[in-house]
Amino acid sequence: MHQASTTPLTQPSIATPREPIAWRVLAAMVVVLVLWASAFIAIRAIGESISPGPLALGRQLVGAVVLVAIAVVRRPPLPGGRALLLIAAYGVLWFAGYALVLNVAERHLDAGTVAMLVNIAPLLVALAAGALLKEGFPRRLMVGIAIAFAGVVIIAMGGIGADSEPIGIVLGVLAAVLYAAGVLVQKVALRSADALSATWIGCVVGALVLLPFLPQTVVELGDAPTPAVLGVVYLGVFPTAVAFLLWAYVLKRSSAGATASATLAVPAIVVLLSWLLLGELPTVFGMVGGALCLAGVAWSRRKPRAA
């Protein structure tokens, strides 16, 4: 991932032209957060009309069409060898696995609680990096994991509303695991691959993996009401294609830590949108447990004080 460049102290005059770029990056990040949050709401709303497999396939097919069209225009370099294999793995884990499990989870649990469970993924990434990439296990990470684990336990004990089922918690955590695995593979792939190429190829691979749902998708989309079909198109165009392209734009112009930390705002946006659009709110236990999950992630990302 590309880090934002810094301006030398000996050239203060260069700082002014960079300011508009900072505003563009901030605006792009806000759009990404809102689009990703809206995906949780759309999935929950469409779930009654279209089952998880067809919903995942429809979303990835639409996203793939948009991303391939953009790639044809921009013609990014194609990855090869190991990078291509990593991108394929990323497509299986993220665009296929995560999308499918998330759809199933939201049939058993409200959107806000699922969003809070999914956002423990950064902790899982840090754990895997410590074990596989030899980055170690700093104290703040272990404390953050303990806090987040307490949050998951609280959700499991009393975070299930009248229209929810306990299996939703298991599926939410599984979605977080797939999310974390996809991010780890993506980080390695982007060391030698273009961001647009990684995104469109990953999305196409995800759609190919989900093709067994094609016959069911054709039947269900044919019988589904128009708003549900439009919801599938929305998921493919905006939370998938547009949001991922803007995410790559932000990553190239800001630090990975800052952008990843900003995603902690997604569950709060989801809870607000879920309340306004679906009339759903997590239980009190779900809110407390979710807050602990996010607090654990935030604590793990604290920078140690300089000596």
Side-chain angles (χ1 to χ4, degrees), residues 118-236:
V118 165
N119 270 268
I120 65 173
L123 288 177
L124 302 179
V125 171
L127 271 178
L132 301 177
L133 305 181
K134 309 301 181 183
E135 294 183 4
F137 302 94
R139 184 175 181 179
R140 65 183 182 280
L141 170 62
M142 303 312 295
V143 173
I145 290 173
I147 295 173
F149 180 74
V152 174
V153 171
I154 290 176
I155 292 175
M157 290 175 60
I160 303 299
D163 298 324
S164 301
E165 298 171 334
I167 188 63
I169 297 175
V170 177
L171 292 168
V173 174
L174 177 57
V177 171
L178 291 168
Y179 181 135
V183 168
L184 283 169
V185 175
Q186 180 194 32
K187 288 176 70 173
V188 179
L190 287 177
R191 293 173 183 172
S192 56
D194 176 81
L196 175 56
S197 294
T199 305
W200 80 257
I201 294 174
C203 190
V204 169
V205 169
L208 291 175
V209 171
L210 294 167
L211 275 181
F213 292 105
L214 182 59
Q216 186 181 355
T217 302
V218 173
V219 173
E220 292 194 11
L221 288 179
D223 295 337
T226 301
V229 176
L230 292 177
V232 174
V233 175
Y234 171 84
L235 284 169

Side-chain angles (χ1 to χ4, degrees), residues 1 28-44 59 90 94-95 98 102 106 111 114-115 118-119 122 179 183 186 199 234-251 259-271 273:
M1 295 183 182
M29 173 54 74
V30 171
V31 173
V32 169
L33 297 181
V34 173
L35 289 180
W36 279 352
S38 70
F40 287 89
I41 307 303
I43 291 169
R44 181 73 171 168
R59 174 180 180 176
Y90 159 62
W94 180 276
F95 288 101
Y98 169 76
L102 179 64
E106 291 207 47
V114 172
V118 165
N119 270 268
Y179 181 135
V183 168
Q186 180 194 32
T199 305
Y234 171 84
L235 284 169
V237 174
F238 294 100
T240 302
V242 173
F244 272 93
L245 289 176
L246 287 177
W247 177 253
Y249 171 85
V250 172
L251 278 179
T259 51
S261 298
T263 61
L264 293 177
V266 169
I269 301 173
V270 173
V271 170
L273 291 178

